[in-house]
Amino acid sequence: MSTEKIESKKIALNQKINKLKEQEAKLKEAERKSRNKKIFELGGLVEKAKLDHLNSNQLYGALLQIKRQADNPSMLKEWEHIGGAAFNKDSKEKGEAIIVTFADKPSLETRKQLREFGLKWNSFREEWQGICHVENIESLVKEHNGTIDFAKKERLAEC
């Protein structure tokens, strides 16, 4: 085999190796981002449960206690029920994720009222979005020929 062929094969193999290293780095980055997202969500749950006042030893001890009980299927069912009920209560208190659209641009006063209800303008989609109680804004939206949609697909199916 000639030296040129050997060199070209070396170059091709090095390119493949570099491509694999690049893919491996991308995979590790995706895994790191996924792990960080999960850790962030868990921290949010600790805060939501109002346990963020505990010091690290207390919180870790509580989590170890939970781990001991996590093998019990009836305990898991009970925790799932309690957690689901708490999430539902929170969402009912805060309102629902809604999308408001208007045929024409609403007046400055109407836009101000929408902001007061917690809605924000999405310039890309050209719609108002946010979480609030529909009954609070229903008359305002109807008065200005707007429509209200629910952001959650399962809620859309119920209506």
Side-chain angles (χ1 to χ4, degrees), residues 1-42:
M1 206 184 264
S2 73
T3 312
E4 285 180 19
K5 285 184 179 181
I6 292 173
E7 286 302 316
S8 67
K9 285 189 175 192
K10 280 183 180 179
I11 291 171
L13 284 173
N14 280 332
Q15 288 174 340
K16 287 181 180 179
I17 289 170
N18 289 336
K19 191 168 194 147
L20 286 172
K21 286 180 180 178
E22 185 180 317
Q23 289 173 344
E24 182 182 28
K26 284 181 181 179
L27 183 61
K28 284 182 179 179
E29 177 72 9
E31 288 172 349
R32 184 189 63 78
K33 285 183 177 182
S34 176
R35 182 178 181 276
N36 286 348
K37 181 182 178 193
K38 182 72 172 173
I39 290 169
F40 184 79
E41 289 172 351
L42 292 171

Side-chain angles (χ1 to χ4, degrees), residues 16-157:
K16 287 181 180 179
I17 289 170
N18 289 336
K19 191 168 194 147
L20 286 172
K21 286 180 180 178
E22 185 180 317
Q23 289 173 344
E24 182 182 28
K26 284 181 181 179
L27 183 61
K28 284 182 179 179
E29 177 72 9
E31 288 172 349
R32 184 189 63 78
K33 285 183 177 182
S34 176
R35 182 178 181 276
N36 286 348
K37 181 182 178 193
K38 182 72 172 173
I39 290 169
F40 184 79
E41 289 172 351
L42 292 171
L45 289 172
V46 169
E47 183 180 18
K48 191 170 188 69
K50 296 185 174 41
L51 295 174
D52 52 337
H53 67 283
L54 298 177
N55 69 39
S56 297
N57 287 340
Q58 293 168 334
L59 186 58
Y60 188 49
L63 292 171
L64 290 174
Q65 184 69 29
I66 290 170
K67 183 181 177 192
R68 282 188 219 115
Q69 297 175 354
D71 291 336
N72 181 345
S74 64
M75 184 60 70
L76 291 174
K77 273 269 196 234
E78 183 180 343
W79 290 343
E80 186 175 6
H81 175 73
I82 292 168
F87 274 125
N88 286 338
K89 182 181 176 218
D90 284 352
S91 69
K92 285 180 182 172
E93 287 174 2
K94 290 179 183 176
E96 297 183 77
I98 61 168
I99 299 168
V100 177
T101 54
F102 295 96
D104 299 315
K105 184 176 181 177
S107 69
L108 180 62
E109 181 61 32
T110 303
R111 295 192 311 259
K112 184 178 176 183
Q113 287 176 317
L114 290 168
R115 284 187 196 96
E116 287 173 1
F117 284 119
L119 299 180
K120 294 184 179 181
W121 175 247
N122 181 328
S123 58
F124 180 75
R125 294 182 53 144
E126 296 187 350
E127 62 191 18
W128 291 88
Q129 303 171 340
I131 297 175
C132 72
H133 293 281
V134 175
E135 54 274 5
N136 292 347
I137 65 163
E138 206 165 17
S139 61
L140 175 71
V141 173
K142 284 182 181 176
E143 182 180 321
H144 294 90
N145 298 320
T147 59
I148 300 173
D149 288 317
F150 296 93
K152 294 184 179 178
K153 300 292 182 209
E154 59 272 5
R155 180 64 169 98
L156 282 172

